[in-house]
Amino acid sequence: MDPLADLLDGVRARSAAFCRAILEPPWSMRIADGAMLALATTLRGHAWIVPDEGEPVLMRTGDVVIIKGPDPYTIGDDPATAPDTIVHPGNRLTTMDNVDITDDLRLGPRTSGHNPDGSAIVASGTYQVSGDVSERLLNALPDIVLVPRASTQAPIMELLAQEVSSDGPGQQVVLDRLLDLALIATLRAWFARPEAQAPGWYRAQSDPLIGPALRLIHDDPAHPWTVASLAGKVGASRAAFARRFATLVGEPPMTYLTGWRMALAADLLRASESTIDSVARHVGYANAFALSVAFKRVRGVSPSRHRAGV
């Protein structure tokens, strides 16, 4: 795998929540579903994404946005329009004084609104993600990512919109996979834009020397890699490889390797019942003691305390 593929694996859609809202101005909704990541697109009309802190972002027809959570935000026809609806986890809808109106606004499968002919249609899907591996991807993104229609993969978004409005067999699986494809396409389009300031590990993937080295690290993090062995695998001298890696990625090869191993170990410690010794061997350390020394040096806590959530 390459770095992006590994990081995306941690945010893969699994029974993701979807919603298609059909709206007529003036409209505004408070999004308080606690999702760590949301992907939304306007199928008709426009929408303003209004964070509690920062500048509003205009999403025109066909644009796609990625929004980092879990903090709430507002989406409406105008930044000045006050919200009258709150979106809770599971697409439960209430008034601002907490009266449930989910059934009142249901227009069809995964679709809500007052008027089926509304001038604005917003489709969205949310991920509930956690873990240190996923955090590495989230840390590379601004709070709101906007990819204009001209840069989006329109066929994927159109398929997602069509599926959201239907109710066929196996729909959840289809929606999950389409949302994954839409997220990958949107991230690629975003990182390709100059204003994205893509992280070093992403830019370096296209380098003929460092790209293969990154894939080696991600394919087999438990291998006893050294700067010399990585350089030899990609056909470069040790010194030249080390300089180029640090320049493109932003940190030395062994620092990157250690950080990746620690992220994997942190997630394994929280998400599995494997012994610390087993986790250590999985990420390239001889035993629990060796992992504990490295983990405490990098993370400031022992593996056992991290597992306990201390």
Side-chain angles (χ1 to χ4, degrees):
M1 282 191 177
D2 58 59
L4 181 60
D6 263 334
L7 298 180
L8 283 168
D9 191 58
V11 294
R12 181 174 295 170
R14 299 171 179 87
S15 298
F18 293 85
C19 178
R20 187 176 68 135
I22 304 177
L23 306 146
E24 188 67 34
W27 63 271
S28 182
M29 300 181 292
R30 183 74 171 158
I31 310 300
D33 56 9
M36 290 299 296
L37 198 67
L39 184 142
T41 184
T42 37
L43 305 176
R44 184 192 301 164
H46 72 274
W48 283 90
I49 312 296
V50 186
D52 287 358
E53 296 183 8
E55 294 298 315
V57 174
L58 175 61
M59 181 170 59
R60 297 180 174 87
T61 302
D63 292 351
V64 182
V65 296
I66 297 173
I67 306 163
K68 288 201 306 184
D71 294 338
Y73 56 94
T74 300
I75 178 170
D77 70 300
D78 188 278
T81 303
D84 58 8
T85 305
I86 303 176
V87 180
H88 299 272
N91 289 329
R92 185 174 69 88
L93 306 175
T94 71
T95 62
M96 298 305 291
D97 53 1
N98 208 34
V99 175
D100 195 303
I101 53 174
T102 306
D103 292 337
D104 297 337
L105 296 182
R106 184 172 288 124
L107 295 174
R110 307 175 193 271
T111 301
S112 61
H114 290 288
N115 180 358
D117 299 317
S119 61
I121 301 179
V122 179
S124 62
T126 58
Y127 292 87
Q128 294 292 344
V129 298
S130 61
D132 284 57
V133 170
S134 302
E135 192 69 21
R136 288 168 73 96
L137 175 59
L138 296 181
N139 286 342
L141 301 174
D143 291 340
I144 301 175
V145 168
L146 172 71
V147 176
R149 178 177 185 171
S151 300
T152 63
Q153 294 292 324
I156 296 174
M157 302 310 299
E158 290 171 3
L159 284 172
L160 184 58
Q162 291 171 12
E163 192 64 33
V164 167
S165 62
S166 67
D167 193 20
Q171 186 188 45
Q172 185 64 58
V173 175
V174 174
L175 286 170
D176 285 348
R177 298 293 76 80
L178 286 174
L179 183 61
D180 286 338
L181 289 172
L183 178 63
I184 293 168
T186 303
L187 286 170
R188 281 177 167 176
W190 167 251
F191 284 140
R193 298 179 68 83
E195 69 269 27
Q197 298 181 340
W201 53 260
Y202 184 87
R203 297 193 306 270
Q205 290 179 83
S206 60
D207 185 79
L209 292 180
I210 307 308
L214 286 169
R215 287 189 286 275
L216 287 169
I217 289 172
H218 283 258
D219 284 344
D220 191 3
H223 187 83
W225 296 113
T226 63
V227 176
S229 65
L230 285 168
K233 284 284 189 179
V234 300
S237 70
R238 182 188 184 282
F241 171 78
R243 285 195 303 270
R244 190 167 184 82
F245 193 103
T247 298
L248 293 180
V249 179
E251 57 187 340
M254 293 300 99
T255 302
Y256 181 89
L257 174 62
T258 299
W260 180 238
R261 285 172 169 172
M262 292 301 103
L264 291 173
D267 281 359
L268 285 170
L269 288 166
R270 289 274 177 86
S272 76
E273 296 182 358
S274 300
T275 65
I276 295 177
D277 194 67
S278 175
V279 171
R281 291 194 300 274
H282 185 84
V283 300
Y285 290 87
N287 50 47
F289 177 76
L291 174 62
S292 295
V293 171
F295 199 91
K296 191 167 185 178
R297 172 173 54 82
V298 174
R299 296 300 182 102
V301 297
S302 67
S304 57
R305 288 176 66 83
H306 172 80
R307 168 170 273 173
V310 178

